[in-house]
Amino acid sequence: MPHKDPEQAKEYYRQRYIKNKEKMKQKAKENYYENKQKKLEYLKDYRDKNKEKIKEDHRRYRQTEKGKRGAAISCWKWRGLVSDDYDSIYDRYINTHECDCCKKHITHGLGSRVMDHCHKTGKFRNVLCHDCNILRYHLDNNYQAYLRMMTL
């Protein structure tokens, strides 16, 4: 029975916990799984009832600056970029308007600006135009073959 004195009440609940520790843990575990299942069912029902709304929300989000940033960084990670600071790389990528290699003006559009990285280590190197990126790829991959050919 709880007491009016806070110290006695605290001791009472501590003793009750010690006495029923296993039973209370089991009940908490059951409640956790029961609530988790209810939440999953609710989320599934919500998704089923609001497919179009969710799709539209995702479309609108992908058009925001934060959505574009997230999509670009996610794509870079999938392609193998490894970094401690993706945000600074993204900022450099967005604010670069000329190729770091040939100094050609980079226009905004699909495939015009490329985030170059080492395919072996995953480290960021430069922001390049598409042509310089292709050239660097072939140089990296064929350099050893080129050296062998030159020694013949």
Side-chain angles (χ1 to χ4, degrees):
M1 184 91 182
H3 301 279
K4 290 184 180 181
D5 179 32
E7 288 301 317
Q8 288 179 340
K10 185 177 179 181
E11 182 60 27
Y12 168 79
Y13 287 115
R14 190 175 78 73
Q15 291 298 326
R16 187 174 128 206
Y17 175 76
I18 291 170
K19 182 179 176 184
N20 300 309
K21 189 175 185 178
E22 292 304 316
K23 205 184 303 183
M24 291 172 86
K25 280 185 176 182
Q26 182 62 31
K27 184 68 175 168
K29 191 176 184 180
E30 289 170 5
N31 286 341
Y32 170 79
Y33 287 113
E34 184 178 320
N35 289 337
K36 184 177 179 180
Q37 188 61 34
K38 285 180 185 176
K39 186 175 181 180
L40 290 173
E41 289 171 8
Y42 169 78
L43 290 174
K44 185 180 183 305
D45 289 343
Y46 179 83
R47 280 192 308 267
D48 290 344
K49 292 176 184 173
N50 297 292
K51 281 183 181 179
E52 291 304 315
K53 179 187 181 306
I54 293 169
K55 191 185 241 184
E56 180 62 24
D57 289 346
H58 282 275
R59 188 190 63 75
R60 276 198 316 267
Y61 175 74
R62 286 190 304 267
Q63 291 175 346
T64 65
E65 180 58 35
K66 189 175 179 183
K68 290 175 185 178
R69 177 183 294 259
I73 291 172
S74 177
C75 182
W76 293 342
K77 287 178 181 180
W78 183 79
R79 290 182 178 168
L81 177 68
V82 176
S83 176
D84 293 334
D85 191 7
Y86 291 100
D87 289 329
S88 67
I89 293 174
Y90 182 80
D91 290 337
R92 180 173 169 193
Y93 175 79
I94 287 300
N95 295 318
T96 300
H97 300 290
E98 67 178 29
C99 177
D100 289 342
C101 184
C102 71
K103 304 301 181 200
K104 181 174 78 174
H105 181 72
I106 299 174
T107 59
H108 296 286
L110 185 62
S112 60
R113 182 180 10 202
V114 181
M115 187 281 310
D116 180 43
H117 68 286
C118 176
H119 288 249
K120 292 178 183 167
T121 64
K123 298 293 182 190
F124 170 77
R125 290 192 288 214
N126 298 95
V127 177
L128 303 175
C129 66
H130 179 72
D131 295 337
C132 289
N133 188 53
I134 296 296
L135 179 64
R136 177 167 280 170
Y137 172 79
H138 288 297
L139 286 174
D140 286 349
N141 289 336
N142 296 323
Y143 184 69
Q144 294 299 325
Y146 172 76
L147 288 177
R148 283 193 303 271
M149 185 179 77
M150 293 305 287
T151 58
L152 294 176

